Amino acid sequence: MPENTATLDIAGMTCASCVARVEKRLTRLDGVTAEVNLATEKARVSYPDAISADELLAAVASAGYSATLEPDPARAGETRADVPPADGSPGTGLRTRLLVSAILSLPVILLAMVPAWQFDNWQWLSLTLAAPVVVWGGYPFHRSTVVNLRHGTLTMDTLITLGTGAAFLWSLWALFFGTAGMTGMTHEFRLFTPDADATSSIYLEVAAGVTVFLLLGRYIEHRSKRSAGDALRALLELGAKDVTVLRDGSASEVTIPIGDLAVGDLFVVRPGETIATDGVVESGAAAVDLSMLTGESLPVDVAAGDTVTGATIARGGRLRVRATRVGGETRLAQIARLVEGAQLGKGEVQRLADRISAVFVPVVLVLSALVLLAWVLTGNPVASGFTAAVAVLIIACPCALGLATPVALLVGTGRGARSGILITGPEALEQSRDIDTVVLDKTGTLTTGLMTLESVTATDAAALLRAASLEAASEHPLARAIVAGADAGALRPVTDFTADAGLGVTGIVDGVSVVVGRPRYAAEHGCALPADLAAVVTAAEAAGSTAVVVGWDGQVRGVLEVSDRPRPEARAAVARLRAIGLTPVLLTGDNERAARSVAAAVGIDRVIAEVLPEQKAQEIRRLQAAGSRVAMVGDGVNDSVALATADLGIAMGAGSDAAISAADITLVRNDLGGIADAIVLSRRTLGTIRGNLFWAFAYNVAALPLAAFGLLNPMVAGAAMAFSSVFVVLNSLRLRRFRTGS
């Protein structure tokens, strides 16, 4: 069973066939699973302790590619070594090769296409200009072909080398040993049928033109993929590079690199500075701009005791912050990991495309040979068969298939990250397609989660203090509200504390066994509810509040009324869910009356209340059994099982780590409007992926027969092949225009 994970940066991959070969070599290792992504040029590998990282790198090398082990996931505030510089310098060599090749090829193409411009011995000038284009301009393709052949593999580059090489070598033969080199020779450019005399046919414009078109396609693809990754790149570069820490009992300030900051260090944030890492404010007040992480434009006020997130910016105030998480444990690093993981993933449709691509190149080679043989055996000129065979080699392109999913994922997940929406991968996209029901938790999801103790009705003065003493050990929002409403300095010690999730707590306080929780929970523990306090419970629930009772010695001694108001944006968010065809359902462990009060306030008709945490998943399964495709939205530990059970789990970003880890989508911005945004973005990204795959398949299905029947000049085939990959990339880039609320 795999116990370790690693990300490999892989160099030399050019098409989906390369992806399939790398995956195959990696997964041959015992216990290793791998997903290789063409757009990001990375592999995500899971492997057991018995396998070393060096063995993974060797496996990639055995497939004909080079690989390096990527450093630990993003450390907040540190520049990632694997993030290319923003100036696009890795593509400079490709751009130079393209420009020189284009300049040399233009006269070759024009002379071949316009017979009136063909002077004596023009063909030799064409050879002089075309030779460096084919040899030097096409060197990246030829080098990849040779390297892969050494390892017994065939790739898209093999087809390119064979196609352009065949056209060039044929031309050399015709020029030196045929009639094409004679003075006064003319050549007419034809889209479809070549000259019948093979010895007079040259294809220098094909060899040079195809090389230029492929270089252009690869350059545009390279630039577009960089553009597609801009969102993640910007995310990784958000963090501070240096931090000012307080030393010597806070008497002196010292500036240190962010990598030297440790948990527990006290650091200073001045107005306009980036908060170095996650922490808790010890003193000071400021408005914090969260827009770069959450997409929210309005700053949030923070003061002593509030938590802050690294990479956000303090406005108008000076803060002293105690670091609680650093490096790879920060929220920024976790977000970066989620986004990178999503961009490395594959959906079922892409896996099918990869399986097809794995056998695509050998099939094309066989098809090209059969086309040539068929043309010759049916009495057609050899030149005609050669043209068709070369066109088949060049037109075939699994590149578009390989790019269809990863580039769209790269753009869609990156755009989501900048909008505060973290999509875990293609599985989440595929699940979003058929969702028709959205189940929402109440506390902390539909409501603010800021519970307030509104009133205390008690027959014993010790009721509130004993309840607060017990609840101090609980993390539930109700517990926090009760503790906040009591005198913190007077809390009593507790022994034998027990918590029953969603029901209540018990323990020994002041030497007596105390129970705090729902009325029925108190009854189960032998505490009867007097009639006067029962009336208080009824009135509180009718008003939409939650009634918590506290009792001991067989009697309920008090009723604590706690309320939690709906979020301001809740009603509009629910209306938008309906507008995109989803049915909202409220699912809560709270009492029926309080749940229906909140549901009415936000516009939800269906309510499932008084459900224990372990029963939430059962309710999700019940909805699924009735034919619904369910998305679950929650934020607490008690929602994690339901989130994992749902067809699509959506966690509110301010929620617990358990909820976030169980979800398919996390809303970093703690805004209910993000639910509809997440589903709409997921559906659009999935739609783009499916559109890419359709056109990539359709291109090959339509183009190969045209080439085989001699209906495409190889140069036109090269242009079409290059455009197919560029189209997939440019189509994916449309996702960058996604706007929240759309």
Side-chain angles (χ1 to χ4, degrees), residues 1-2 25-33 46-51 55:
M1 195 73 177
R25 293 300 175 96
L26 284 170
T27 54
R28 279 181 180 174
L29 299 175
D30 189 30
V32 172
T33 60
S46 298
Y47 60 100
D49 288 334
I51 300 293
E55 290 178 274

Side-chain angles (χ1 to χ4, degrees), residues 349-350 353 400-401 404-405 686-702 727-728 731:
V349 178
Q350 182 62 39
L401 291 174
T405 292
L686 180 63
T688 300
I689 290 171
R690 291 179 173 274
N692 286 347
L693 287 168
F694 170 79
W695 288 112
F697 275 114
Y699 161 83
N700 282 292
V701 169
F727 169 81
V728 164
N731 185 50

Side-chain angles (χ1 to χ4, degrees), residues 481-572:
I482 293 171
V483 173
D487 181 358
L491 295 183
R492 313 292 175 79
V494 176
T495 59
D496 296 339
F497 175 83
T498 302
D500 292 306
L503 294 173
V505 296
T506 61
I508 305 298
V509 183
D510 295 334
V512 297
S513 179
V514 179
V515 57
V516 180
R518 297 182 183 183
R520 83 177 180 197
Y521 182 72
E524 290 171 357
H525 284 76
C527 290
L529 181 64
D532 55 341
L533 293 182
V536 174
V537 170
T538 301
E541 293 178 349
S545 298
T546 299
V548 177
V549 301
V550 53
W552 59 87
D553 292 340
Q555 187 81 20
V556 170
R557 310 288 177 165
V559 177
L560 314 178
E561 183 179 346
V562 181
S563 66
D564 180 19
R565 296 178 179 83
R567 293 173 179 267
E569 78 278 9
R571 190 169 188 87

Side-chain angles (χ1 to χ4, degrees), residues 317-676:
R318 186 178 189 274
L319 302 174
R320 288 168 31 127
V321 181
R322 184 74 65 181
T324 56
R325 291 190 288 192
V326 298
E329 299 304 315
T330 64
R331 196 176 190 194
L332 173 65
Q334 292 171 352
I335 290 172
R337 274 198 295 272
L338 283 172
V339 176
E340 284 187 306
Q343 294 176 349
L344 281 169
K346 293 182 181 181
E348 286 301 319
V349 178
Q350 182 62 39
R351 291 190 179 96
L352 172 62
D354 286 349
R355 288 194 291 271
I356 293 173
S357 298
V359 298
F360 192 81
V361 173
V363 168
V364 169
L365 290 174
V366 172
L367 177 61
S368 178
L370 291 176
V371 166
L372 174 59
L373 185 63
W375 276 79
V376 174
L377 292 179
T378 53
N380 290 289
V382 174
S384 298
F386 175 79
T387 302
V390 170
V392 167
L393 287 175
I394 293 173
I395 197 70
C397 180
C399 300
L401 291 174
L403 292 170
T405 292
V407 177
L409 267 180
L410 195 67
V411 182
T413 56
R415 184 67 191 89
R418 295 305 299 270
S419 301
I421 302 167
L422 302 184
I423 302 170
T424 59
E427 293 80 7
L429 304 180
E430 290 168 347
Q431 295 294 348
S432 71
R433 177 187 55 187
D434 299 322
I435 293 299
D436 54 35
T437 302
V438 176
V439 174
L440 301 109
D441 176 50
K442 182 178 78 71
T443 304
T445 301
L446 278 176
T447 62
T448 63
L450 302 175
M451 308 293 285
T452 303
L453 181 61
E454 301 288 355
S455 67
V456 178
T457 305
T459 58
D460 190 306
L464 175 58
L465 192 57
R466 288 181 175 178
S469 298
L470 263 184
E471 295 285 24
S474 174
E475 63 171 11
H476 196 279
L478 285 171
R480 291 197 293 267
I482 293 171
V483 173
D487 181 358
L491 295 183
R492 313 292 175 79
V494 176
T495 59
D496 296 339
F497 175 83
T498 302
D500 292 306
L503 294 173
V505 296
T506 61
I508 305 298
V509 183
D510 295 334
V512 297
S513 179
V514 179
V515 57
V516 180
R518 297 182 183 183
R520 83 177 180 197
Y521 182 72
E524 290 171 357
H525 284 76
C527 290
L529 181 64
D532 55 341
L533 293 182
V536 174
V537 170
T538 301
E541 293 178 349
S545 298
T546 299
V548 177
V549 301
V550 53
W552 59 87
D553 292 340
Q555 187 81 20
V556 170
R557 310 288 177 165
V559 177
L560 314 178
E561 183 179 346
V562 181
S563 66
D564 180 19
R565 296 178 179 83
R567 293 173 179 267
E569 78 278 9
R571 190 169 188 87
V574 169
R576 188 161 169 239
L577 291 174
R578 292 186 186 278
I580 62 174
L582 304 176
T583 301
V585 177
L586 175 59
L587 177 65
T588 180
D590 209 343
N591 67 81
E592 182 84 18
R593 290 177 179 173
R596 291 203 173 276
S597 175
V598 171
V602 301
I604 294 179
D605 299 325
R606 184 172 181 182
V607 175
I608 304 174
E610 300 186 24
V611 177
L612 297 177
E614 60 271 20
Q615 294 175 332
K616 288 187 175 183
Q618 296 174 12
E619 294 294 336
I620 296 294
R621 284 191 285 269
R622 188 172 290 115
L623 290 169
Q624 291 169 330
S628 297
R629 298 282 293 177
V630 181
M632 170 70 191
V633 184
D635 73 321
V637 173
N638 60 348
D639 298 322
S640 57
V641 178
L643 287 167
T645 302
D647 298 292
L648 182 70
I650 302 176
M652 301 298 289
S656 69
D657 290 343
I660 292 172
S661 64
D664 302 297
I665 296 175
T666 298
L667 304 180
V668 179
R669 71 183 212 259
N670 205 26
D671 180 354
L672 282 175
I675 301 171

